[in-house]
Amino acid sequence: NFVTAFIAAAGMGKRMNAPINKQFLSIEGVPILAQTIKKIEASKYVDFILLIIKSSDLNYLSQIISKYKINTNYKICYGGNERQDSINNGLMNMPKSTDIILTHDGARPFVCVEKIDQAIESVFETGACTLANKVKDTIKVSYDGKNADYTPNRALLWQVQTPQVFLADVLKSAYKQAYSEGYYGTDDCSLVEKTGRKIKLIDNSYDNIKITTKEDLIFAKAILRKKDL
Ligand code: CTP
Ligand code: MG
Protein backbone atom coordinates (compact mmCIF):
# COMPACT_ATOMS: atom_id res chain seq x y z
CA ASN A 1 0.00 0.00 0.00
CA PHE A 2 1.37 3.37 -1.06
CA VAL A 3 0.73 6.00 1.62
CA THR A 4 0.76 9.71 0.74
CA ALA A 5 0.70 12.24 3.57
CA PHE A 6 -0.79 15.66 2.81
CA ILE A 7 0.48 18.41 5.09
CA ALA A 8 -2.00 21.29 4.91
CA ALA A 9 -0.01 24.44 5.48
CA ALA A 10 -1.66 26.88 3.08
CA GLY A 11 -3.66 28.91 5.60
CA MET A 12 -3.21 32.55 6.57
CA GLY A 13 -3.00 32.08 10.33
CA LYS A 14 -5.35 35.01 10.89
CA ARG A 15 -6.26 34.09 14.45
CA MET A 16 -2.59 34.01 15.44
CA ASN A 17 -2.24 37.64 14.46
CA ALA A 18 1.49 37.28 13.77
CA PRO A 19 3.42 39.08 11.00
CA ILE A 20 4.11 35.75 9.25
CA ASN A 21 2.04 32.59 8.69
CA LYS A 22 1.94 30.89 12.12
CA GLN A 23 3.53 27.68 10.82
CA PHE A 24 6.81 29.47 10.21
CA LEU A 25 7.04 30.74 13.78
CA SER A 26 9.59 28.87 15.89
CA ILE A 27 8.95 27.08 19.16
CA GLU A 28 12.12 26.38 21.16
CA GLY A 29 14.11 27.41 18.09
CA VAL A 30 12.51 25.13 15.49
CA PRO A 31 9.81 26.28 13.03
CA ILE A 32 6.43 24.67 13.72
CA LEU A 33 6.16 23.32 10.18
CA ALA A 34 9.62 21.73 10.39
CA GLN A 35 8.55 19.92 13.57
CA THR A 36 5.37 18.70 11.88
CA ILE A 37 7.19 17.44 8.79
CA LYS A 38 9.68 15.50 10.97
CA LYS A 39 6.83 13.72 12.78
CA ILE A 40 5.15 12.66 9.54
CA GLU A 41 8.48 11.59 8.10
CA ALA A 42 9.12 9.37 11.11
CA SER A 43 6.08 7.21 10.36
CA LYS A 44 7.14 3.78 9.17
CA TYR A 45 4.31 3.75 6.61
CA VAL A 46 4.48 7.15 4.88
CA ASP A 47 5.94 6.78 1.36
CA PHE A 48 5.41 10.29 0.04
CA ILE A 49 4.77 13.75 1.48
CA LEU A 50 2.74 16.43 -0.26
CA LEU A 51 3.48 19.86 1.18
CA ILE A 52 0.56 22.18 0.51
CA ILE A 53 1.46 25.82 1.01
CA LYS A 54 0.68 29.32 -0.21
CA SER A 55 2.91 30.37 -3.13
CA SER A 56 3.91 33.46 -1.14
CA ASP A 57 5.37 31.19 1.58
CA LEU A 58 7.63 29.25 -0.81
CA ASN A 59 10.75 31.05 0.42
CA TYR A 60 10.01 30.16 4.04
CA LEU A 61 9.43 26.54 3.10
CA SER A 62 12.62 26.38 1.03
CA GLN A 63 14.60 27.60 4.03
CA ILE A 64 13.09 24.88 6.19
CA ILE A 65 13.83 22.21 3.60
CA SER A 66 17.46 23.25 3.23
CA LYS A 67 18.00 23.32 7.00
CA TYR A 68 15.96 20.27 8.05
CA LYS A 69 16.49 17.85 5.14
CA ILE A 70 13.42 15.84 4.12
CA ASN A 71 14.50 12.25 3.54
CA THR A 72 11.14 11.05 2.20
CA ASN A 73 10.09 11.72 -1.39
CA TYR A 74 8.02 14.88 -1.48
CA LYS A 75 6.38 17.46 -3.67
CA ILE A 76 5.25 21.02 -3.05
CA CYS A 77 1.87 22.18 -4.28
CA TYR A 78 -0.25 25.24 -3.65
CA GLY A 79 -3.39 25.50 -1.59
CA GLY A 80 -6.69 27.26 -2.12
CA ASN A 81 -9.02 29.64 -0.30
CA GLU A 82 -10.34 27.15 2.25
CA ARG A 83 -8.60 24.19 3.82
CA GLN A 84 -10.88 21.95 1.79
CA ASP A 85 -9.68 23.60 -1.44
CA SER A 86 -6.09 23.01 -0.35
CA ILE A 87 -6.71 19.30 0.19
CA ASN A 88 -8.56 19.16 -3.13
CA ASN A 89 -5.47 20.57 -4.85
CA GLY A 90 -3.50 17.89 -3.07
CA LEU A 91 -5.79 15.22 -4.54
CA MET A 92 -4.97 16.54 -8.00
CA ASN A 93 -1.22 16.57 -7.31
CA MET A 94 -0.65 13.33 -5.40
CA PRO A 95 1.18 10.37 -6.94
CA LYS A 96 -1.19 8.26 -9.06
CA SER A 97 -0.11 5.16 -7.16
CA THR A 98 -1.53 6.44 -3.85
CA ASP A 99 -3.66 3.84 -2.02
CA ILE A 100 -3.96 5.56 1.35
CA ILE A 101 -4.17 9.29 2.05
CA LEU A 102 -3.26 10.84 5.37
CA THR A 103 -4.20 14.48 5.92
CA HIS A 104 -2.50 16.45 8.65
CA ASP A 105 -2.50 20.08 9.75
CA GLY A 106 0.84 21.81 9.41
CA ALA A 107 -0.04 23.55 12.67
CA ARG A 108 -0.18 20.29 14.66
CA PRO A 109 3.46 19.46 15.46
CA PHE A 110 2.96 17.46 18.68
CA VAL A 111 1.28 14.35 17.30
CA CYS A 112 3.15 11.26 18.38
CA VAL A 113 4.59 9.01 15.69
CA GLU A 114 3.06 5.83 17.17
CA LYS A 115 -0.40 7.39 16.83
CA ILE A 116 0.25 8.32 13.19
CA ASP A 117 1.11 4.68 12.55
CA GLN A 118 -1.91 3.46 14.53
CA ALA A 119 -4.20 5.68 12.44
CA ILE A 120 -2.75 4.29 9.21
CA GLU A 121 -3.22 0.72 10.46
CA SER A 122 -6.83 1.49 11.43
CA VAL A 123 -7.89 2.75 8.01
CA PHE A 124 -8.81 -0.73 6.81
CA GLU A 125 -11.61 -1.07 9.39
CA THR A 126 -14.04 1.48 7.91
CA GLY A 127 -12.03 3.19 5.17
CA ALA A 128 -11.76 6.42 7.18
CA CYS A 129 -10.45 7.29 10.62
CA THR A 130 -9.25 10.20 12.71
CA LEU A 131 -7.40 10.91 15.90
CA ALA A 132 -9.70 12.57 18.41
CA ASN A 133 -10.19 13.33 22.07
CA LYS A 134 -13.25 13.47 24.30
CA VAL A 135 -14.56 16.97 24.85
CA LYS A 136 -13.73 18.33 28.30
CA ASP A 137 -16.00 21.35 28.39
CA THR A 138 -19.74 21.59 28.04
CA ILE A 139 -20.56 22.82 24.53
CA LYS A 140 -23.52 25.06 23.68
CA VAL A 141 -25.07 25.77 20.32
CA SER A 142 -26.12 29.32 19.49
CA TYR A 143 -27.86 30.13 16.23
CA ASP A 144 -27.55 33.90 16.52
CA GLY A 145 -24.20 34.12 18.33
CA LYS A 146 -25.86 35.84 21.31
CA ASN A 147 -28.13 33.36 23.05
CA ALA A 148 -27.59 29.66 23.59
CA ASP A 149 -30.25 27.43 22.07
CA TYR A 150 -29.27 24.00 23.33
CA THR A 151 -26.58 21.86 24.92
CA PRO A 152 -25.58 18.61 23.19
CA ASN A 153 -24.85 15.69 25.53
CA ARG A 154 -21.17 16.00 26.32
CA ALA A 155 -20.74 12.25 26.61
CA LEU A 156 -21.36 12.01 22.85
CA LEU A 157 -18.94 14.74 21.82
CA TRP A 158 -15.46 14.28 20.40
CA GLN A 159 -13.01 16.93 19.36
CA VAL A 160 -11.28 15.79 16.20
CA GLN A 161 -7.59 16.17 15.53
CA THR A 162 -5.41 15.16 12.61
CA PRO A 163 -4.03 12.95 11.10
CA GLN A 164 -7.18 11.74 9.41
CA VAL A 165 -6.56 8.70 7.22
CA PHE A 166 -8.58 7.42 4.25
CA LEU A 167 -8.53 4.82 1.55
CA ALA A 168 -7.75 7.00 -1.47
CA ASP A 169 -10.92 6.07 -3.35
CA VAL A 170 -13.05 6.88 -0.31
CA LEU A 171 -11.62 10.40 0.04
CA LYS A 172 -11.61 11.09 -3.69
CA SER A 173 -15.29 10.22 -4.10
CA ALA A 174 -16.25 12.14 -0.95
CA TYR A 175 -14.51 15.23 -2.33
CA LYS A 176 -16.22 14.80 -5.68
CA GLN A 177 -19.60 14.60 -3.99
CA ALA A 178 -18.92 17.60 -1.70
CA TYR A 179 -17.98 19.85 -4.62
CA SER A 180 -21.00 18.72 -6.64
CA GLU A 181 -23.25 19.58 -3.66
CA GLY A 182 -21.43 22.80 -2.77
CA TYR A 183 -20.66 21.45 0.72
CA TYR A 184 -17.75 22.90 2.69
CA GLY A 185 -16.52 21.19 5.83
CA THR A 186 -13.83 22.13 8.33
CA ASP A 187 -12.31 18.66 8.35
CA ASP A 188 -11.93 15.90 5.78
CA CYS A 189 -13.96 13.33 7.70
CA SER A 190 -17.09 15.48 7.48
CA LEU A 191 -17.03 15.07 3.69
CA VAL A 192 -16.78 11.30 4.05
CA GLU A 193 -19.63 11.26 6.63
CA LYS A 194 -21.82 12.91 3.96
CA THR A 195 -21.40 9.81 1.81
CA GLY A 196 -22.88 7.68 4.59
CA ARG A 197 -19.66 6.06 5.71
CA LYS A 198 -18.68 5.66 9.37
CA ILE A 199 -15.47 7.26 10.64
CA LYS A 200 -13.44 5.33 13.19
CA LEU A 201 -12.45 7.52 16.15
CA ILE A 202 -9.04 6.86 17.70
CA ASP A 203 -8.86 8.24 21.24
CA ASN A 204 -5.68 10.29 21.54
CA SER A 205 -4.04 12.46 24.17
CA TYR A 206 -4.94 16.12 24.65
CA ASP A 207 -1.50 17.35 23.65
CA ASN A 208 -1.98 17.05 19.87
CA ILE A 209 -3.14 20.67 19.77
CA LYS A 210 -3.58 22.79 16.68
CA ILE A 211 -1.59 25.96 17.16
CA THR A 212 -4.20 28.59 16.43
CA THR A 213 -3.98 31.60 18.78
CA LYS A 214 -1.20 33.34 20.70
CA GLU A 215 -1.84 31.44 23.94
CA ASP A 216 -1.33 28.17 22.09
CA LEU A 217 2.34 29.16 21.81
CA ILE A 218 2.55 29.05 25.61
CA PHE A 219 0.89 25.62 25.73
CA ALA A 220 3.18 24.52 22.90
CA LYS A 221 6.33 25.33 24.85
CA ALA A 222 4.99 23.47 27.86
CA ILE A 223 4.13 20.41 25.76
CA LEU A 224 7.59 20.36 24.18
CA ARG A 225 9.26 20.56 27.59
CA LYS A 226 7.01 17.86 29.00
CA LYS A 227 8.06 15.59 26.14
CA ASP A 228 11.69 16.15 27.01
CA LEU A 229 11.19 14.83 30.56
N1 CTP B 1 -5.00 25.42 5.75
C1 CTP B 1 -4.72 25.20 4.41
N2 CTP B 1 -5.37 25.93 3.45
C2 CTP B 1 -6.28 26.86 3.79
C3 CTP B 1 -6.60 27.07 5.15
C4 CTP B 1 -5.94 26.33 6.12
O1 CTP B 1 -3.88 24.35 4.08
N3 CTP B 1 -6.88 27.56 2.82
C5 CTP B 1 -4.25 24.68 6.78
C6 CTP B 1 -3.56 25.62 7.76
O2 CTP B 1 -2.30 26.04 7.23
C7 CTP B 1 -3.48 24.81 9.04
C8 CTP B 1 -4.63 23.81 8.90
O3 CTP B 1 -5.12 23.90 7.57
O4 CTP B 1 -2.28 24.09 9.20
C9 CTP B 1 -5.71 24.10 9.91
O5 CTP B 1 -6.28 25.37 9.66
P1 CTP B 1 -6.30 26.59 10.67
O6 CTP B 1 -5.79 26.21 11.99
O7 CTP B 1 -7.63 27.26 10.55
O8 CTP B 1 -5.16 27.54 10.05
P2 CTP B 1 -5.34 28.91 9.30
O9 CTP B 1 -6.50 28.85 8.37
O10 CTP B 1 -4.01 29.27 8.77
O11 CTP B 1 -5.67 29.90 10.54
P3 CTP B 1 -6.85 30.95 10.62
O12 CTP B 1 -8.13 30.19 10.41
O13 CTP B 1 -6.73 31.53 12.00
O14 CTP B 1 -6.61 31.98 9.54
MG1 MG C 1 -8.49 28.52 9.11
Side-chain angles (χ1 to χ4, degrees), residues 187-199:
D187 79 331
D188 300 306
C189 288
S190 64
L191 278 60
V192 175
E193 287 156 20
K194 289 254 164 199
T195 70
R197 186 180 288 268
K198 294 264 190 223
I199 313 297

Side-chain angles (χ1 to χ4, degrees), residues 5-24:
F6 292 20
I7 299 183
M12 312 259 280
K14 285 201 196 103
R15 287 170 289 176
M16 181 59 72
N17 220 349
I20 56 170
N21 184 350
K22 61 183 180 182
Q23 291 152 127
F24 300 102

Side-chain angles (χ1 to χ4, degrees), residues 7-95:
I7 299 183
M12 312 259 280
K14 285 201 196 103
R15 287 170 289 176
M16 181 59 72
N17 220 349
I20 56 170
N21 184 350
K22 61 183 180 182
Q23 291 152 127
F24 300 102
L25 298 172
S26 289
I27 300 171
E28 306 281 88
V30 183
I32 292 169
L33 187 57
Q35 299 189 31
T36 304
I37 293 169
K38 285 293 153 204
K39 291 293 181 64
I40 295 295
E41 223 194 348
S43 161
K44 60 184 171 198
Y45 298 120
V46 170
D47 297 300
F48 194 91
I49 297 176
L50 202 55
L51 295 163
I52 311 172
I53 60 156
K54 277 190 307 174
S55 54
S56 52
D57 283 334
L58 186 56
N59 273 336
Y60 287 113
L61 180 65
S62 303
Q63 283 171 33
I64 285 179
I65 292 171
S66 59
K67 184 157 181 198
Y68 306 91
K69 309 271 175 254
I70 305 181
N71 300 309
T72 307
N73 289 325
Y74 71 94
K75 177 177 171 182
I76 297 166
C77 74
Y78 296 137
N81 286 336
E82 302 295 331
R83 185 186 183 284
Q84 182 173 319
D85 301 318
S86 297
I87 298 295
N88 196 49
N89 273 348
L91 290 172
M92 293 185 282
N93 281 283
M94 70 183 181

Side-chain angles (χ1 to χ4, degrees), residues 130-217:
T130 182
L131 297 189
N133 56 256
K134 289 180 179 138
V135 166
K136 293 187 201 179
D137 292 320
T138 295
I139 306 285
K140 296 209 182 284
V141 175
S142 167
Y143 292 114
D144 63 3
K146 294 182 191 123
N147 299 304
D149 294 284
Y150 71 96
T151 308
N153 178 358
R154 191 177 63 191
L156 302 178
L157 298 180
W158 291 77
Q159 188 171 345
V160 298
Q161 307 174 354
T162 70
Q164 303 193 336
V165 186
F166 309 91
L167 297 178
D169 290 338
V170 167
L171 192 65
K172 278 192 278 183
S173 58
Y175 262 73
K176 212 172 160 194
Q177 184 176 319
Y179 278 94
S180 76
E181 292 171 354
Y183 173 77
Y184 266 87
T186 51
D187 79 331
D188 300 306
C189 288
S190 64
L191 278 60
V192 175
E193 287 156 20
K194 289 254 164 199
T195 70
R197 186 180 288 268
K198 294 264 190 223
I199 313 297
K200 183 186 166 72
L201 296 169
I202 301 168
D203 199 358
N204 189 28
S205 60
Y206 288 99
D207 59 14
N208 182 19
I209 64 167
K210 179 165 67 65
I211 297 174
T212 308
T213 59
K214 281 262 186 305
E215 49 276 10
D216 292 328
L217 297 174

